Amino acid sequence: MKQHVKMTTLLNNGQKIPLIGLGTYPLKGNSAETIVYEALKKGYRLIDTAAMYENEEEVGRAIRRAISEGVPREEMTVVTKIWKTDMGFSKTLRAFAKSYEALKLDMIDVVLIHWPDVAREKNIATWKALEEIYYSGKVRAIGVSNFSPEQLIDLLKMADIKPVLNQYSCYPGQSQEQLRVFCEKENIRSMAYSPIHQGGILSDQDIQQLAEKYQKTPAQIALRWNIQRGVIPIPKTASSNRLEENFAVFDFELTDKEMALLLAKG
């Protein structure tokens, strides 16, 4: 697995980010710490957490443990998020301070707004707080999650710093192609949570046929599809075997026709 550590792409600020990562919701306690540590030892370098997941402390411990055993911190991208109830300028600053203390890392690589608020003004105020945090030197990049093109347009009008990421649910059957294309045009990288729809796509006949053709699992087909679209999938698992399976998606490539077939699912 470790041969794929260098499989990265660039964010719009020049920061490298791996092409696949590990999502950690709803893992908590020892299971969260164990799987994050194991993932890092197996070659994963992108770890996604959030204040709402209530596992930042465990994720931080796993990261520090892996670092102490020789996993290079500079290869890692650690993502966390500001939850809905913590939005607004002052509340965002306080929420980030809590996340920073929980993770106990000198630097957090990316901080996202977890969900947009219905009030445009609150989104802007939250973003301005993230910009201040960025200027403080405690984060390398800032972005958003679950933002629509319209919400991104509003944000971009007022932002001094462009978001590097928009994280949203994306899998065959919910391609979010319009959003992906918009983000690509704006040089905002898309990241997909639930990239196998919590297993919901695994019984799809077309995906199963492709899995048979490439001697891969249906989950690997779905992950590869997102990667080829320029979308970074962050599948969650608590299984060591699934960690390896999800990572083994760089030794085959779907054809344009096969990509279109899966895109047509919606």
Side-chain angles (χ1 to χ4, degrees):
M1 290 178 63
K2 294 181 180 179
Q3 68 268 30
H4 300 307
V5 166
K6 301 299 184 183
M7 299 295 290
T8 60
T9 188
L10 291 178
L11 300 173
N12 62 36
N13 66 347
Q15 181 176 325
K16 290 183 179 179
I17 188 168
L19 296 177
I20 191 168
L22 175 68
T24 63
Y25 180 79
L27 301 172
K28 293 183 182 180
N30 289 338
S31 61
E33 182 174 348
T34 297
I35 203 69
V36 170
Y37 168 77
E38 188 171 351
L40 290 168
K41 294 294 283 187
K42 288 179 178 293
Y44 279 78
R45 293 296 181 265
L46 168 57
I47 306 295
D48 179 81
T49 183
M52 190 275 285
Y53 301 169
E54 298 180 343
N55 63 14
E56 288 175 311
E57 289 188 14
E58 294 92 330
V59 168
R61 280 199 298 271
I63 291 168
R64 295 193 305 276
R65 180 181 169 196
I67 292 169
S68 73
E69 295 181 12
V71 178
R73 174 65 179 96
E74 62 271 16
E75 291 181 357
M76 298 182 197
T77 298
V78 181
V79 181
T80 194
K81 310 178 194 74
I82 303 296
W83 185 236
K84 297 176 183 180
T85 53
D86 291 319
M87 292 179 69
F89 189 85
S90 297
K91 291 178 76 174
T92 294
L93 294 179
R94 290 195 293 270
F96 171 77
K98 290 181 180 178
S99 290
Y100 189 80
E101 174 59 27
L103 284 163
K104 289 183 169 59
L105 301 172
D106 290 341
M107 177 79 72
I108 299 175
D109 300 285
V110 188
V111 178
L112 310 178
I113 300 176
H114 205 146
W115 282 91
D117 195 87
V118 293
R120 173 180 179 272
E121 294 77 13
K122 185 169 282 188
N123 293 331
I124 299 301
T126 303
W127 187 252
K128 289 300 177 183
L130 288 189
E131 289 182 334
E132 181 164 308
I133 292 165
Y134 174 81
Y135 291 133
S136 77
K138 292 183 177 179
V139 302
R140 290 191 171 93
I142 54 178
V144 298
S145 183
N146 299 298
F147 271 58
S148 68
E150 294 75 20
Q151 289 162 332
L152 281 167
I153 288 169
D154 273 345
L155 191 68
L156 290 170
K157 287 176 182 175
M158 302 298 295
D160 293 325
I161 300 171
K162 177 178 283 193
V164 297
L165 285 175
N166 187 17
Q167 184 185 121
Y168 50 90
S169 177
C170 184
Y171 53 86
Q174 184 173 290
S175 68
Q176 303 252 41
E177 181 66 0
Q178 181 184 1
L179 179 56
R180 185 198 69 81
V181 170
F182 176 86
C183 289
E184 184 174 68
K185 181 180 177 183
E186 292 293 336
N187 198 18
I188 298 170
R189 181 67 60 177
S190 290
M191 180 178 283
Y193 66 81
S194 296
I196 58 173
H197 191 34
Q198 298 177 333
I201 56 87
L202 303 185
S203 61
D204 181 276
Q205 186 175 0
D206 292 323
I207 292 175
Q208 287 183 341
Q209 288 177 352
L210 289 173
E212 185 176 348
K213 172 185 174 181
Y214 289 104
Q215 296 186 311
K216 291 291 182 177
T217 66
Q220 288 170 320
I221 297 297
L223 295 172
R224 182 68 202 181
W225 176 74
N226 258 327
I227 290 170
Q228 286 184 219
R229 298 169 71 227
V231 179
I232 301 167
I234 48 168
K236 184 273 296 182
T237 185
S239 161
S240 177
N241 289 338
R242 287 283 188 270
L243 277 178
E244 297 193 15
E245 176 187 312
N246 291 343
F247 209 72
V249 291
F250 296 100
D251 58 352
F252 75 105
E253 187 170 332
L254 300 171
T255 67
D256 290 344
K257 185 176 180 181
E258 291 162 350
M259 291 291 294
L261 172 67
L262 298 187
L263 181 63
K265 293 182 179 295

